[in-house]
Amino acid sequence: MSSTIPRRTALDALHRSLGATMTDFAGWDMPLRYGSERDEHLAVRTKAGLFDLSHMGEITVTGPRAAALLDYALVGNLGSVKVGRARYTMICREDGGILDDLIVYRLGETEYMVVANASNAQTVLEALAERAAGFDADVRDDRDAYALLAVQGPESPGILKSLTDADLDGLKYYAGLPGTVAGVPALIARTGYTGEDGFELFVAPADAEKLWQALTEAGSSVGLVPCGLSCRDTLRLEAGMPLYGHELSTSLTPFDAGLGRVVKFEKEGDFVGREALAEAASRAQENPPRVLVGLIAEGRRVPRAGYAVVTEGEVIGEVTSGAPSPTLGKPIAMAYVDAAHSAPGTPGVGVDIRSSHEPYEVVALPFYKRQK
């Protein structure tokens, strides 16, 4: 994994044939965009987009004590997840710092699939393997066993329905079921990172190209376009979804990130970080930490991660993610700001962009919420 040559997904040649601009992302050569990232973004909001997410890290946990291991290793209550459902959770260090945010799918009574961010997959794998000591459970690196395609946007259910007889109408958000799509065996999950309805399809790498072509064909009449990582970032930003390395890091606990709800103290037994997280929870109640807010620009200048949030010359926070919003037509940002300045509409807040105080409106997240 320490090789300096970026890894390539099973769809690499296809991306290049489509003229994609490629970029090194977490050690993978990934498509950044195929044409206009704004057009790709708006296609997902209004029609549908097709993504290659094969850089994500799949780790399978199996065995009689798989549930018990995950309840100990992660902050969520995974033993309570029903077969066929998924849960958003986190893995923390002993001191409560976030190692990664995860989606965990319960595939069977004694089988789970943990999906980690590409940049943290090795760290998560090693932490799970280490925490498995004493549990009758196996932790398996399945990163090479899967390609992951996502079709996202309002037209995605119709596109997928034309290629599968799986019960998509009965498939709830954060649920997954095994099925066949265009003749390809797949785990069909109703999950995504765009703020739209959509599906993620876990398939064998050898089947990835066949499935991509089938989805492209099925979606051509309703405006489906291939989408790169660039619009994936603006879509998740509008939807107020955190990105590891920006809104989440080892220096923050879930409570610092405003995501304390994922920590389940009521589950049975000990779990890694319990004591530190209990302290963080009571600290957050007594003296709220910085709060993650949305910022909408009054002008045209785009804020970037690391820029200071200021009021009356005083630094009150820091931008974690910023970009032009194709949906709102203005630059937006997520930022951690002091609790005293976190209320929507707080006057006098700006971002220091190259020594210039640019005015910004403080808003509640998310910036965008789809109509159900």
Side-chain angles (χ1 to χ4, degrees):
M1 295 303 293
S2 59
S3 162
T4 51
I5 300 167
R7 298 182 67 184
R8 295 184 170 190
T9 78
L11 294 164
D12 184 78
L14 191 145
H15 297 317
R16 291 168 196 278
S17 75
L18 292 172
T21 300
M22 305 296 285
T23 188
D24 182 346
F25 182 80
W28 289 82
D29 219 1
M30 297 298 294
L32 190 60
R33 70 182 74 82
Y34 298 84
S36 152
E37 55 204 49
R38 184 177 179 277
D39 290 350
E40 290 171 26
H41 178 111
L42 294 174
V44 175
R45 286 278 178 259
T46 59
K47 296 163 187 168
L50 180 58
F51 297 82
D52 177 9
L53 306 179
S54 302
H55 60 311
M56 300 296 280
E58 296 86 6
I59 300 158
T60 304
V61 180
T62 56
R65 300 269 291 151
L69 163 58
L70 290 173
D71 278 343
Y72 169 71
L74 311 179
V75 300
N77 188 346
L78 285 308
S80 69
V81 176
K82 292 183 170 63
V83 173
R85 299 306 302 264
R87 186 158 294 171
Y88 177 78
T89 187
M90 294 182 182
I91 182 167
C92 290
R93 300 191 307 194
E94 199 66 69
D95 66 1
I98 303 166
L99 281 173
D100 201 15
D101 61 335
L102 313 163
I103 295 181
V104 179
Y105 298 86
R106 190 167 195 167
L107 304 181
E109 206 52 51
T110 59
E111 183 181 6
Y112 292 80
M113 180 168 67
V114 176
V115 181
N117 285 297
S119 55
N120 296 328
Q122 188 65 28
T123 301
V124 174
L125 177 70
E126 287 167 7
L128 285 174
E130 190 182 305
R131 295 173 191 190
F135 288 92
D136 187 2
D138 293 311
V139 175
R140 186 174 73 230
D141 180 0
D142 268 347
R143 282 175 287 180
D144 293 336
Y146 292 103
L148 176 57
L149 279 62
V151 56
Q152 300 277 304
E155 297 287 353
S156 57
I159 294 167
L160 207 52
K161 271 182 194 173
S162 70
L163 297 173
T164 184
D165 56 6
D167 177 19
L168 298 186
D169 291 334
L171 188 63
K172 295 184 172 78
Y173 186 50
Y174 266 72
L177 84 170
T180 305
V181 183
V184 169
L187 171 67
I188 305 165
R190 200 165 208 149
T191 45
Y193 196 50
T194 62
E196 297 299 335
D197 191 10
F199 302 87
E200 296 185 321
L201 307 169
F202 295 85
V203 299
D207 291 329
E209 196 165 326
K210 178 186 175 184
L211 183 56
W212 179 282
Q213 299 289 21
L215 288 163
T216 299
E217 209 170 297
S220 61
S221 62
V222 291
L224 173 113
V225 300
C227 292
L229 291 180
S230 190
C231 84
R232 182 169 153 89
D233 191 48
T234 52
L235 288 160
R236 70 92 197 166
L237 176 55
E238 287 184 352
M241 293 174 165
L243 176 64
Y244 196 90
H246 288 257
E247 288 72 42
L248 308 173
S249 70
T250 50
S251 64
L252 296 171
T253 72
F255 295 95
D256 299 323
L259 290 164
R261 64 181 181 276
V262 305
V263 181
K264 304 299 181 189
F265 291 116
E266 70 275 14
K267 63 180 173 176
E268 279 180 37
D270 194 19
F271 62 91
V272 176
R274 180 191 269 275
E275 204 173 304
L277 289 167
E279 285 172 22
S282 69
R283 208 166 48 237
Q285 272 186 322
E286 288 163 29
N287 183 18
R290 282 185 166 178
V291 177
L292 188 65
V293 300
L295 299 173
I296 300 179
E298 290 177 22
R300 309 303 306 167
R301 297 184 78 180
V302 179
R304 297 296 180 194
Y307 285 10
V309 182
V310 293
T311 187
E312 294 174 357
E314 179 196 351
V315 175
I316 56 161
E318 187 176 302
V319 171
T320 53
S321 297
S325 163
T327 306
L328 277 63
K330 296 176 178 180
I332 60 172
M334 286 201 276
Y336 282 111
V337 301
D338 294 345
H341 301 277
S342 64
T346 299
V349 172
V351 175
D352 186 342
I353 301 180
R354 297 187 188 88
S355 303
S356 166
H357 176 114
E358 298 290 326
Y360 274 75
E361 181 191 357
V362 179
V363 298
L365 292 168
F367 299 97
Y368 167 86
K369 204 166 193 175
R370 73 183 170 97
Q371 302 301 307
K372 292 282 195 266

